[in-house]
Structures are given as C-alpha cells and as structure tokens.
Amino acid sequence: MLDALTKQNVHFEIGGRHALGRILDDMGLSRAMILTTPEQCDAAHEIASIIGDHAAGIYSRATMHTPVEVTRDAIAHARDINADCVTAIGGGSTIGLGKAISLNTALPQISVPTTYAGSEATPILGQTENGIKTTLTAPKVRPAAVLYDAELVTSLPIAMSVTSGLNAIAHAAEGLYAKEATETTRDLAIDGMRSFADGLPKVVQDPKNVQAREDTLRGAWACGAVLGTVGMALHHKLCHALGGSFNLPHAETHAIILPHAIAFNEVVAKAELAPVAQIFGDTQAGSALWTFAKTLGAPMRLADLGLLETDLERAAQIATEKPYWNPREITKDAILRILKKAWAGEPPELT
Ligand code: NAD
C-alpha cells in the first residue's frame, strides 16, 4: 500500500521476503545491490537466492554511524556490478548506508528492516566524516519501498529487541509534544506505543513468536513515521550528544535516557504525555516508562555503557551548547540532574 503520510510503498507480510522479486518488478527494477552488515550475511544470501536474477550482488560492510568512506566504497561497488537499486536488509546502520548511497547516486532503495529503529520511515540521514557525525534531512533519502517480514526479526536477540523497541517508543513519546504534532501523528504515536506495550513482553518471553514480532514491527513503522514527520526534542538531542561525543551505543542510550527525558518534560506537557502514562500503566509517563523498561530487563544505567561519572559535567555542557526547541526550558543544571539519575540507574525525578 502507498502510505499517505510518508508516500512510501509499505508491505507487511509474514514471509514477505518471498515477494521481493515481484516488488522489484513492479518498480521496474532488475539489478539490486543487497546491503547488510557482516553479522547478517546469511540473511542477505537468503534474499539473493530468493530474488535470483534480480540480485546484482551483495555488499556486506554496512557499519554504525554511516562512515562516508564505506559509502564511497559501496557506491564504487554498485557501479562495478551495474546495480539499478539498493535493498538494505538490517537495522538503522544498514538502512543508513542505503540512504547515503541514494543521496549520492539517486539509486532507489527498498528497505527490509530487521530492528525497530524506524529509520526506513524517515527522510533523515546521519553520517560520519573525520569522526564527526552530522545529520541531514532530504526527501530523496527516504526509501521508496519498505518490506516488513516478521520472520526476519525473530533472530534479533532479546536484549537488542528490548532496547530497539524502547528506541521506537522514544520517537512516539517525543512526537506527542512536538510543535508540528497533528491528530494523525498523535494517533500513530499511540498505536505504535500500544503495539510495543502489548508485543514487547511477548517477544521477551519468546523471541520466535512471529505474531508478536509482526505486531511490534507494525509499532516500529508507526513510531518511525512519527519520527519522520515531526521534530524531536530533549530526548533525541541528548542521546545524539551522548552517542556522538562518548561513542555510546544508539539503542541502549535511548533506552536508558527515555524515562528521564520524558519525566522532565512531563512537568510542562502532562496532557500531551497522558497517553504514555495510560498505555504503560502508571499515573506518570516517566515512571511508567522506567518500570516498563526495568520489567523487560533493559539496561538502566549509563555507567554500564562505560560512561564515567567524571564525564557527566562535560556531557551536560555538550548537550546544551546548541539550542533547540523543547517544551520545557533546558539548563545545564537540569541536564546534569537527568544524567546523574540515568548514570546511576535511579528512577526519574518527577519535578
Ligand atoms: P544496527 O543497525 O546498528 O544493528 C545492530 C546490530 O544488530 C548489527 O550488527 C546488525 O547486523 C544486527 N542485527 C540487526 N537486525 C538483526 C536481526 N534481526 N537479527 C540478528 N542481528 C541483527 O542497530 P539499530 O539500532 O537498528 O540502528 C542504529 C543506527 O541507526 C544508528 O546509527 C542510528 O543513528 C540510526 N538510526 C537512524 C534513524 C534515522 O531516521 N535516520 C532512525 C533510527 C536509527
């Protein structure tokens, strides 16, 4: 179906990878370069064998933070094998490589997401050059088509499923108080969070539960579409600063910061965040997310990601250097208080 909000062809089907050849035909494409990481080579080879003649080759060097050297190398490979499109099978890192290739070559992309990060639904690309990560927004980086096949997500380890799910919930939660929020984006955010509130505990209980994987993938789509449509605030900016300056892992950082950032903003956005509290079963959105994450066994302490207590002051400084819109005024002291709680794994401050 053509999604009205993102203008992408979105396919949901358990086992849907077997329809990829038809999707390529419908798009008039016949030579796909399949992108993946070294860890997901088997999945890429399976896709290649499914699409047969439509596979021009596999490029398996996708890596975190989309380094421009990898993008250049992948583009050279795409030219060598005369690819007419890229098919990214993987999480945000692999999809990021597909976006970077499209930006530079205009080759169309088809995403086959295998995490809940939601990059496939956005026109946003983060890439790294000389150790500096920058983010751009351009309509041409949004994949033309997205194929969600829940069977491909059953291999996502439980710990990554939990942190990736919380990463998706973060897009929806911040989308609720975004300046550009509409009834459509609020409904999507609520649907997305409900899918995870119901489905993520089932995934943790049985990662091979294909129906729970399908439900949570639908949640990932909804949350990703929110991320791709409205602006994000404190939570995403703080995670970006921590990832960029301290090399903290993406999904885990989101999982830990989320309850704290939401509790901070809840003081001024109680009504907007009421659905979060209601969906995750508490009177306060921040506490509800903290308990949900803890119950699922998510990482709770920045200390466990390798951030030193002596880094917190500098982190607060970096996170407040560039001003951005947030529903509540941000000060360095406030960020430092959030970071101290998140570093120690304590429940969020409710004032
Ligand atoms: P990831 O893509 O880095 O994947 C982490 C690891 O898990 C990789 O080794 C990957 O191959 C493996 N993996 C993925 N799916 C698997 C599966 N089903 N089974 C087994 N292994 C699997 O992780 P991510 O959290 O999806 O993506 C993080 C990156 O995406 C960050 O760089 C982040 O900035 C970016 N991102 C971008 C956007 C955007 O809109 N531009 C949105 C969200 C995330």
Side-chain angles (χ1 to χ4, degrees):
M1 66 150 197
L2 184 68
D3 183 77
L5 194 65
T6 64
K7 310 276 186 286
Q8 294 170 295
N9 271 309
V10 182
H11 306 259
F12 273 101
E13 191 182 345
I14 294 171
R17 62 194 179 283
H18 295 281
L20 183 57
R22 182 177 49 73
I23 292 169
L24 291 169
D25 278 338
D26 289 349
M27 295 171 75
L29 301 168
S30 57
R31 293 191 59 76
M33 177 161 91
I34 300 166
L35 306 176
T36 196
T37 60
E39 294 79 20
Q40 287 184 279
C41 267
D42 288 353
H45 280 284
E46 196 208 354
I47 293 283
S49 73
I50 288 171
I51 63 174
D53 290 350
H54 289 65
I58 294 174
Y59 184 87
S60 60
R61 291 185 51 208
T63 187
M64 269 211 304
H65 309 310
T66 325
V68 295
E69 315 82 76
V70 174
T71 303
R72 284 189 200 117
D73 187 51
I75 290 171
H77 189 65
R79 291 203 175 113
D80 287 348
I81 62 174
N82 196 23
D84 65 2
C85 64
V86 290
T87 297
I89 167 154
S93 298
T94 307
I95 292 168
L97 175 60
K99 289 175 160 183
I101 294 173
S102 273
L103 180 72
N104 290 288
T105 63
L107 287 180
Q109 316 154 60
I110 297 96
S111 291
V112 185
T114 63
T115 71
Y116 304 124
S119 177
E120 64 279 2
T122 82
I124 306 162
L125 168 65
Q127 41 188 359
T128 318
E129 185 161 25
N130 300 326
I132 296 170
K133 187 165 178 175
T134 53
T135 302
L136 61 85
T137 299
K140 71 192 276 200
V141 306
R142 185 148 34 195
V146 187
L147 169 61
Y148 289 100
D149 178 350
E151 285 175 356
L152 294 172
V153 193
T154 55
S155 55
L156 190 66
I158 291 177
M160 277 177 58
S161 300
V162 169
T163 52
S164 191
L166 291 164
N167 182 192
I169 291 167
H171 312 328
E174 282 225 294
L176 288 174
Y177 51 60
K179 273 192 299 186
E180 312 84 348
T182 61
E183 206 180 322
T184 306
T185 61
R186 278 192 212 100
D187 288 350
L188 265 176
I190 290 169
D191 282 354
M193 287 188 291
R194 278 207 187 108
S195 304
F196 283 109
D198 293 345
L200 212 44
K202 292 179 190 154
V203 164
V204 169
Q205 212 170 31
D206 176 10
K208 304 279 178 218
N209 180 337
V210 182
Q211 191 54 56
R213 289 294 191 178
E214 165 84 359
D215 296 344
T216 43
L217 268 185
R218 285 183 183 271
W221 158 252
C223 296
V226 172
L227 173 68
T229 310
V230 302
M232 296 287 122
L234 169 67
H235 170 77
H236 281 74
K237 305 290 181 192
L238 185 50
C239 290
H240 186 87
L242 291 169
S245 303
F246 298 91
N247 205 23
L248 299 193
H250 177 83
E252 289 88 336
T253 306
H254 273 264
I256 295 171
I257 294 293
L258 180 63
H260 301 277
I262 293 299
F264 177 80
N265 280 341
E266 193 173 9
V267 171
V268 299
K270 182 95 185 150
E272 291 87 339
L273 288 168
V276 181
Q278 193 257 323
I279 290 167
F280 294 99
D282 199 323
T283 51
Q284 309 265 1
S287 316
L289 288 168
W290 194 81
T291 308
F292 182 67
K294 199 169 171 62
T295 311
L296 294 179
M300 304 301 287
R301 295 164 12 114
L302 288 176
D304 292 339
L305 304 187
L307 190 70
L308 302 175
E309 193 168 15
T310 47
D311 286 334
L312 297 182
E313 182 82 28
R314 189 161 67 90
Q317 174 65 35
I318 292 168
T320 42
E321 267 163 9
K322 285 194 196 136
Y324 55 85
W325 183 86
N326 187 63
R328 184 174 174 189
E329 192 196 347
I330 293 169
T331 61
K332 189 181 157 201
D333 277 356
I335 298 287
L336 191 55
R337 282 206 315 275
I338 288 175
L339 287 174
K340 281 183 175 167
K341 291 273 179 192
W343 185 83
E346 290 167 5
E349 204 173 276
L350 302 176
T351 54

